[in-house]
């Protein structure tokens, strides 16, 4: 029970920090946080769906693809994480305002919170959802690391988002990805509680 409570607290905290970075800093500037974030921005742009709900829809849809590969426990914990992220995005977008926004400050702060949140989730073997699940499926099937397919999928989404909304988005998205992935590596190397090992494994 203690292990469960600690894992639950870390997953919720990681999801909240990810939502803080996206909802308060990145999404108000239409900066995609990744492939799922880019699709969420497009859904908001086309249909007026709120960013938090759009991200949850994208994440949940992608996650359904992963249940046969990684098992129900992986999916349940990831649902907890992505739901917390979406709730946090809704809260920060609707309840917190940032006066005199600065694009570069928002980019850096948003990417730092995003990377820290994702790192906390990954230390608990919980996906941050979205196209990361697709990348893990591809990596599992081809027995490669997930970084390369994730990079290519994100790049494709960034390109489409930039073509539809604004070309400067792709530069901001790449900068955000660089900062946030550095933070993911840093958090994953810290010494603090993790309930399971870091190795992604296909379910038996």
């Amino acid at each position: 029970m203690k292990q469960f409570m600690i894992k639950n607290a870390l997953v919720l905290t990681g999801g909240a920090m990810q939502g803080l970075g996206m909802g308060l800093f990145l999404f108000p500037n239409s900066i995609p946080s990744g492939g799922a974030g880019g699709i969420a921005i497009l859904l908001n742009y086309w249909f007026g769906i709120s960013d938090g709900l759009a991200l949850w829809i994208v994440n949940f849809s992608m996650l359904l693809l992963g249940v046969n590969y990684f098992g129900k426990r992986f999916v349940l914990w990831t649902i907890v994480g992505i739901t917390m992220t979406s709730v946090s995005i809704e809260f920060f977008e609707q309840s917190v305002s940032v006066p005199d926004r600065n694009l570069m400050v928002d980019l850096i702060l948003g990417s730092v919170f995003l990377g820290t949140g994702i790192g906390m989730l990954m230390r608990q073997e919980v996906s941050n959802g979205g196209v990361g699940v697709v990348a893990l499926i591809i990596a599992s099937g081809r027995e490669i690391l997930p970084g390369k397919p994730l990079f290519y999928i994100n790049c494709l989404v960034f390109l489409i988002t930039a073509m539809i909304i604004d070309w400067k988005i792709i530069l901001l998205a790449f900068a955000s990805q660089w900062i946030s992935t550095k933070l993911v590596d840093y958090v994953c190397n810290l010494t603090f509680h993790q309930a399971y090992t870091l190795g992604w494994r296909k379910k038996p």
Side-chain angles (χ1 to χ4, degrees):
M1 178 59 72
K2 181 179 179 181
Q3 289 286 92
F4 173 82
M5 294 302 294
I6 293 174
K7 181 181 178 76
N8 190 58
L10 289 172
V11 170
L12 291 175
T13 302
M17 292 194 71
Q18 185 177 209
L20 168 63
M22 297 162 78
L24 192 59
F25 298 110
L26 298 180
F27 282 0
N29 294 289
S30 295
I31 302 174
S33 57
I39 297 172
I41 287 174
L42 288 175
L43 290 176
N44 174 270
Y45 181 79
W46 283 329
F47 306 110
I49 302 173
S50 68
D51 289 322
L53 177 58
L55 185 67
W56 194 91
I57 292 172
V58 174
N59 280 332
F60 186 76
S61 300
M62 298 287 186
L63 194 56
L64 291 178
L65 298 175
V67 66
N68 291 326
Y69 287 82
F70 303 111
K72 294 179 180 178
R73 186 173 67 179
F74 165 86
V75 170
L76 289 173
W77 278 115
T78 301
I79 287 175
V80 172
I82 65 175
T83 299
M84 186 63 188
T85 297
S86 294
V87 169
S88 298
I89 290 172
E90 289 291 321
F91 171 78
F92 287 112
E93 283 190 333
Q94 297 180 16
S95 304
V96 182
S97 61
V98 178
D100 302 320
R101 283 191 176 276
N102 180 286
L103 178 60
M104 294 310 298
V105 172
D106 283 358
L107 173 67
I108 293 171
L109 289 178
S111 302
V112 167
F113 282 113
L114 173 67
T116 302
I118 293 174
M120 292 182 69
L121 293 173
M122 287 188 170
R123 281 194 63 100
Q124 301 304 315
E125 280 205 338
V126 175
S127 170
N128 63 314
V131 298
V133 176
V134 178
L136 287 172
I137 293 173
I138 294 172
S140 176
R142 302 186 65 179
E143 297 185 351
I144 60 175
L145 293 173
K148 191 176 231 182
L150 180 62
F151 177 78
Y152 286 128
I153 295 170
N154 281 342
C155 284
L156 177 61
V157 175
F158 293 160
L159 181 62
I160 294 172
T161 306
M163 289 173 61
I164 293 172
I165 299 179
D166 193 331
W167 277 104
K168 75 176 182 181
I169 288 175
I170 197 167
L171 299 176
L172 297 172
F174 279 126
S176 177
Q177 284 287 294
W178 186 84
I179 296 170
S180 62
T181 51
K182 291 293 183 184
L183 262 295
V184 170
D185 289 342
Y186 177 76
V187 172
C188 285
N189 284 324
L190 289 176
T191 303
F192 68 95
H193 179 85
Q194 69 183 74
Y196 300 95
T197 61
L198 285 173
W200 295 98
R201 295 184 297 274
K202 187 174 179 178
K203 74 172 185 179

